[in-house]
Amino acid sequence: MSKKHILSFLLILTASTALLAQNKWTAGFNLGGNISRIGVADTFPQNFSRRNRIGYNIGIQASYDIKKSVAVSLGFNLVNKGYKINNDTLSGSPSIIQKYNSLNVPVGLVFRQAFSGTNFIHEKAGLILNYTTRSDSLFKQNSTSKPSFKTTDVSINRLYPMFYLGFGLGGTTETGDRYEFTVTYNQSFSTDANIKVNYGQGFLKEFPLNYRGGFLQFGFSYHFNLSNFGKSDEYFY
């Protein structure tokens, strides 16, 4: 390694240590659940309805405090979402449930208002880049033995933008770590998939639906104060 490369490395290391020492960077994890379903604009024929589908989300995140009450946040999340279609006249196997896994990269701002010492309320807003991992076409029936309706699900956009709005409660530990409980609404700017539902004698009746990919998210996150990783009370014992 040349002297130039060594010098560049030392400068980057020094700058990184200085940034961490500013007590402005945090990084950690988040986990929780979500509720997703078909959009409200779709029309269902008699006896059919949309139902909420419960999924999960887990990810990692980092934030930089611009000032005490405002931060920039960045994350990388795995989100399990989808929809549920129900035939309300059926006593057995009344539903078709579709599940998707998607990779979400949210970037946005966090606003905090302190109360009761180390506790705070917060609001979040920003944009998400969503990538849905799925096949081009998916086929499902409500029953493998005696199906009464089926769906054909065709991918329209796997990669699309979303926006999010959230609010919640949180607190700060003595070491500067931060924890949050948040509810977030995530809405797509595009359509994830088009769906055709066939039912009736010989599946001759049908109606269309579209799935936009939005979901309501609720969960817990923990942010480690990165400046603590650069500290040591004693180097020798």
Side-chain angles (χ1 to χ4, degrees), residues 62-79:
S63 68
Y64 177 79
D65 290 348
I66 300 175
K67 55 183 182 177
K68 189 175 181 180
S69 59
V70 183
V72 178
S73 66
L74 170 68
F76 185 82
N77 301 321
L78 171 64
V79 179

Side-chain angles (χ1 to χ4, degrees), residues 113-121 169-170:
Q113 300 85 46
F115 72 95
S116 181
T118 59
N119 297 321
F120 58 85
I121 60 174
L169 299 172

Side-chain angles (χ1 to χ4, degrees), residues 213-224:
F215 58 98
L216 181 66
Q217 177 180 334
F218 46 90
F220 169 80
S221 61
Y222 195 92
H223 305 248
F224 296 96

Side-chain angles (χ1 to χ4, degrees), residues 3-235:
K3 291 183 179 180
K4 183 178 179 180
H5 289 153
I6 294 175
L7 180 60
S8 298
F9 174 76
L10 290 175
L11 288 173
I12 293 172
L13 181 61
T14 302
S16 300
T17 304
L19 283 174
L20 292 179
Q22 292 176 5
N23 198 26
K24 292 187 176 183
W25 282 99
T26 64
F29 65 90
N30 66 82
L31 53 90
N34 66 69
I35 299 173
S36 54
R37 60 183 182 179
I38 295 293
V40 296
D42 292 297
T43 302
F44 288 82
Q46 188 176 9
N47 301 326
F48 282 89
S49 63
R50 63 176 185 162
R51 298 294 177 90
N52 292 331
R53 186 202 169 254
I54 305 297
Y56 63 85
N57 37 268
I58 184 171
I60 56 176
Q61 59 197 17
S63 68
Y64 177 79
D65 290 348
I66 300 175
K67 55 183 182 177
K68 189 175 181 180
S69 59
V70 183
V72 178
S73 66
L74 170 68
F76 185 82
N77 301 321
L78 171 64
V79 179
N80 177 260
K81 58 183 180 178
Y83 59 83
K84 182 177 181 181
I85 301 172
N86 209 68
N87 185 329
D88 302 324
T89 63
L90 299 178
S91 57
S93 301
S95 304
I96 288 179
I97 301 174
Q98 191 62 264
K99 304 175 183 179
Y100 304 108
N101 286 323
S102 65
L103 302 176
N104 283 8
V105 181
V107 180
L109 294 174
V110 183
F111 304 92
R112 293 186 294 267
Q113 300 85 46
F115 72 95
S116 181
T118 59
N119 297 321
F120 58 85
I121 60 174
H122 64 266
E123 302 83 32
K124 300 183 177 184
L127 298 175
I128 301 171
L129 185 63
N130 176 96
Y131 178 74
T132 305
T133 61
R134 52 157 294 161
S135 302
D136 291 336
S137 298
L138 299 170
F139 305 93
K140 275 203 169 183
Q141 300 179 145
N142 69 304
S143 172
T144 55
S145 56
K146 293 182 179 181
S148 60
F149 71 103
K150 61 181 181 179
T151 59
T152 303
D153 182 308
V154 179
S155 175
I156 301 300
N157 295 292
R158 294 188 185 183
L159 184 67
Y160 53 83
M162 306 178 69
F163 73 89
Y164 69 90
L165 295 171
F167 69 94
L169 299 172
T172 304
T173 68
E174 293 182 356
T175 59
D177 292 351
R178 186 181 299 141
Y179 58 89
E180 297 174 348
F181 298 91
T182 309
V183 177
T184 309
Y185 174 72
N186 304 265
Q187 181 58 54
S188 169
F189 287 113
S190 187
T191 298
D192 191 307
N194 285 339
I195 306 156
K196 181 176 68 173
V197 183
N198 292 91
Y199 66 104
Q201 186 67 34
F203 299 111
L204 296 178
K205 296 181 180 181
E206 67 177 56
F207 61 94
L209 298 172
N210 72 81
Y211 174 70
R212 293 184 58 84
F215 58 98
L216 181 66
Q217 177 180 334
F218 46 90
F220 169 80
S221 61
Y222 195 92
H223 305 248
F224 296 96
N225 180 2
L226 295 186
S227 65
N228 292 330
F229 292 90
K231 298 176 180 178
S232 177
D233 294 331
E234 294 183 34
Y235 292 95

